[in-house]
Amino acid sequence: MQTAALAASTMGLARGTTVMRHFLHFLFATGVALSASVVPARANFADAQAAFELGDYQTAYAEFLKLAQTGDSNAETALGVLYDNGDGVPKDQRVAVMWYRKAAEKGNPQAQLNLGIHCEQGQGVEQEDAVALGWYSKAAEQGYAAAEVALGNMYHRGRGVAQDKKQANAWFKRAADQGNASAQQNLANALYFGDGAEINYAEAFKLYQQAAAQGYGDSQYNLGVMYEKGQGVPKDGAQAYFWWLLASAREVPDAARNRDRIEKSLTPAQRTEAQTAARQWKPALAQANRSNLETRPGGAVSRGQKNEPDVTGTAFRISPTHYVTNFHVVHGCQRLRVSGTQSAERQASDERNDLALLSVPASSGATAIIRIGRIHLGEKVTAVGFPLLGIPSSTLSVTSGEVGSLSDVQGDTRFVQITAPVKLASSGAVFDASGNVLGLVEDKPNAAGLPQATGDIPQNANFAITSNALQGFLDANGVDFDTAGLGVATPSAQVAASAKDVVALVECWQ
């Protein structure tokens, strides 16, 4: 089973419990005590984790191996994750299972969970539900929330044990009380449908709220349904629209259709308010070894810093030591990272034009070419960028369109309107048909004026600050860059392919 999405035809929550997605995950900050014999080697653990986060998997492997040879169960678990992912070593689930087993037998709950997942799925080991249940139980009994979810799922489906939905809900509640979003979603489903529990819309609503606040798309979708139907909360179409905006940004099935349907019943002011709130919304910090973390040590909390960024956005390389991004992406950031590994510092900002310049250590790779010359109405453009935080950050969003206007709705010629679809809270670079940077996607600030100007908000009314403003910003900060006019048009797929060489993910910790 996967997500509990609403069936659009019936406008009700789909039955079923959201099971833990079967990713293997690793968290270092568990508070699990190490045996005294391995404490002296602990000092190298942070170095191993830091190497992993920098993408230096071979160094990470070598350091984890040294620690594992002393019997450090966290290091043994980390080696299992490396072999599971094929990071720095050949991908080999049998070897991963071997390392998980070593750590699991020492009582490491992370390893017990991961080993249970392998046993349940029959990956690298014989498929045995009863054995998986045993490992989940051992980890759950230590209060490990993700394992409590896994164990609850086994009881809910009757795998490896007689089906017992009340027992399943008891395990979900234990994990939900720790803040685990998957457990909150599962328990809310049980209360909504009366699945092993009495129907209680008010309590279901509260649990969906808690999971939705952490960016759990299915719960955001379900809140939209409850607001529209007035279940556990007064009816509120604007609130339903807000939650479906967020859920559609996470590509939850039917969310976009429900969003577009209810949008027609709202006033322009209600739409604007909901869209502004959705742009400004941020997920709460993940709680209690939640089950949908990445399958890697990089998902850990390290050196007193949370791993998940507060904001993500898009930048493009303009020189070997500089990237350009939007001001709204990096405003208020205490720590910045580019391309997942490279530390960055904000060198200059232009809040009015929503531009920021990031400096990085010397990097290799292609640099962007800035468009010069007149921008033409109707010319083809391609928008390339990373979506809103919460969507898998390794996937670029690429959309095509054309220049729809040579100014914004107030006539400001610093901007052009583009018809390439852009998701809420996105950022990105806009390329012309020759692959030159024509501008940067705005955070839809100018769309707020559209209801007053036109009485409606077109779906593809997006704006970009033009390359003319960008050139002035770069010149003022002494950055050398390459320029070119509109040349021979190339297919958008080819433009996107070359754009990927210069576009990078920006991560911000506030």
Side-chain angles (χ1 to χ4, degrees):
M1 300 180 197
Q2 291 295 328
T3 59
L6 291 142
S9 60
T10 62
M11 285 309 302
L13 286 93
R15 283 190 174 274
T17 297
T18 303
V19 305
M20 181 187 69
R21 297 178 189 276
H22 289 216
F23 295 136
L24 305 172
H25 74 288
F26 189 87
L27 292 172
F28 291 118
T30 62
V32 177
L34 297 175
S35 64
S37 63
V38 302
V39 170
R42 186 67 180 176
N44 294 324
F45 199 92
D47 293 338
Q49 185 182 358
F52 185 95
E53 292 177 349
L54 291 172
D56 185 358
Y57 300 129
Q58 291 183 341
T59 297
Y61 170 78
E63 292 300 315
F64 283 133
L65 182 60
K66 292 177 184 176
L67 289 166
Q69 289 171 342
T70 71
D72 187 321
S73 67
N74 279 338
E76 291 169 342
T77 306
L79 288 174
V81 173
L82 291 173
Y83 276 103
D84 251 329
N85 293 323
D87 291 331
V89 292
K91 186 172 183 176
D92 192 326
Q93 292 181 328
R94 290 177 298 178
V95 177
V97 166
M98 178 197 73
W99 284 112
Y100 290 145
R101 192 179 300 278
K102 286 177 178 289
E105 290 175 348
K106 293 183 176 73
N108 187 295
Q110 302 161 358
Q112 291 167 343
L113 172 64
N114 290 358
L115 183 56
I117 293 172
H118 274 271
C119 292
E120 184 181 353
Q121 296 187 341
Q123 296 176 339
V125 67
E126 184 177 352
Q127 197 282 326
E128 292 184 276
D129 286 342
V131 175
L133 182 85
W135 287 117
Y136 292 153
S137 297
K138 289 180 183 294
E141 287 165 2
Q142 297 187 60
Y144 197 63
E148 292 170 344
V149 176
L151 186 58
N153 288 328
M154 299 293 275
Y155 275 103
H156 188 271
R157 293 175 294 168
R159 292 191 59 174
V161 67
Q163 187 178 52
D164 187 337
K165 293 184 178 180
K166 288 185 177 180
Q167 184 67 23
N169 292 338
W171 284 112
F172 293 149
K173 187 177 188 310
R174 286 180 55 165
D177 288 345
Q178 295 187 58
N180 184 283
S182 293
Q184 290 163 346
Q185 164 79 10
N186 287 358
L187 188 56
N189 285 349
L191 293 166
Y192 185 95
F193 292 114
D195 194 14
E198 291 185 9
I199 291 176
N200 188 327
Y201 290 147
E203 288 302 315
F205 178 83
K206 290 178 183 178
L207 287 161
Y208 285 137
Q209 273 191 318
Q210 292 169 17
Q214 295 185 55
Y216 208 85
D218 299 324
S219 291
Q220 293 173 343
Y221 181 94
N222 291 347
L223 284 178
V225 172
M226 297 189 79
Y227 269 114
E228 185 180 42
K229 301 178 77 170
Q231 295 174 318
V233 68
K235 287 186 178 181
D236 191 328
Q239 280 292 320
Y241 178 58
F242 166 77
W243 287 110
W244 282 332
L245 282 169
L246 294 181
S248 63
R250 286 158 176 77
E251 301 180 357
V252 176
D254 295 322
R257 180 161 56 176
N258 289 346
R259 175 202 67 198
D260 295 344
R261 174 181 55 77
I262 202 169
E263 182 181 58
K264 299 173 184 177
S265 67
L266 304 179
T267 66
Q270 286 176 316
R271 291 197 296 268
T272 299
E273 184 178 1
Q275 290 172 349
T276 300
R279 286 196 300 269
Q280 296 174 347
W281 183 89
K282 296 177 183 178
L285 181 62
Q287 303 292 319
N289 49 76
R290 52 191 273 188
S291 62
N292 54 347
L293 289 173
E294 290 185 317
T295 313
R296 49 184 65 245
V301 176
S302 173
R303 299 179 181 177
Q305 297 173 329
K306 59 187 180 185
N307 187 68
E308 291 189 359
D310 295 296
V311 178
T312 60
T314 308
F316 59 85
R317 188 186 297 109
I318 194 65
S319 81
T321 56
H322 293 97
Y323 283 83
V324 173
T325 187
N326 295 100
F327 173 80
H328 76 261
V329 171
V330 299
H331 178 57
C333 299
Q334 301 299 313
R335 174 187 167 208
L336 288 166
R337 187 168 68 183
V338 177
S339 298
T341 61
Q342 197 168 31
S343 296
E345 293 184 1
R346 186 170 64 174
Q347 179 175 323
S349 300
D350 181 347
E351 184 173 2
R352 179 172 180 267
N353 289 316
D354 196 24
L355 295 171
L357 181 66
L358 305 182
S359 61
V360 298
S363 63
S364 60
T367 55
I369 299 174
I370 305 301
R371 164 72 175 271
I372 58 173
R374 182 179 178 183
I375 297 174
H376 304 282
L377 191 66
E379 69 172 274
K380 302 296 182 183
V381 295
T382 301
V384 181
F386 290 91
L388 173 74
L389 178 66
I391 299 175
S393 61
S394 60
T395 303
L396 275 172
S397 174
V398 178
T399 57
S400 299
E402 60 186 32
V403 176
S405 174
L406 298 178
S407 68
D408 70 2
V409 293
Q410 285 84 30
D412 191 335
T413 56
R414 291 176 300 140
F415 302 92
V416 292
Q417 181 187 332
I418 59 174
T419 62
V422 176
K423 294 183 178 181
L424 284 170
S426 290
S427 59
V430 180
F431 294 83
D432 67 16
S434 300
N436 307 316
V437 173
L438 182 144
L440 275 80
V441 173
E442 284 292 286
D443 190 25
K444 293 197 174 182
N446 298 282
L450 284 172
Q452 291 73 27
T454 68
D456 196 9
I457 298 181
Q459 287 295 312
N460 293 334
N462 304 304
F463 296 87
I465 187 75
T466 66
S467 54
N468 291 331
L470 174 60
Q471 290 175 62
F473 174 65
L474 294 174
D475 284 337
N477 288 285
V479 179
D480 293 328
F481 55 94
D482 296 323
T483 61
L486 179 62
V488 177
T490 57
S492 58
Q494 186 174 334
V495 172
S498 61
K500 290 179 180 178
D501 293 334
V502 299
V503 171
L505 175 71
V506 178
E507 296 170 293
C508 159
W509 286 262
Q510 296 180 335

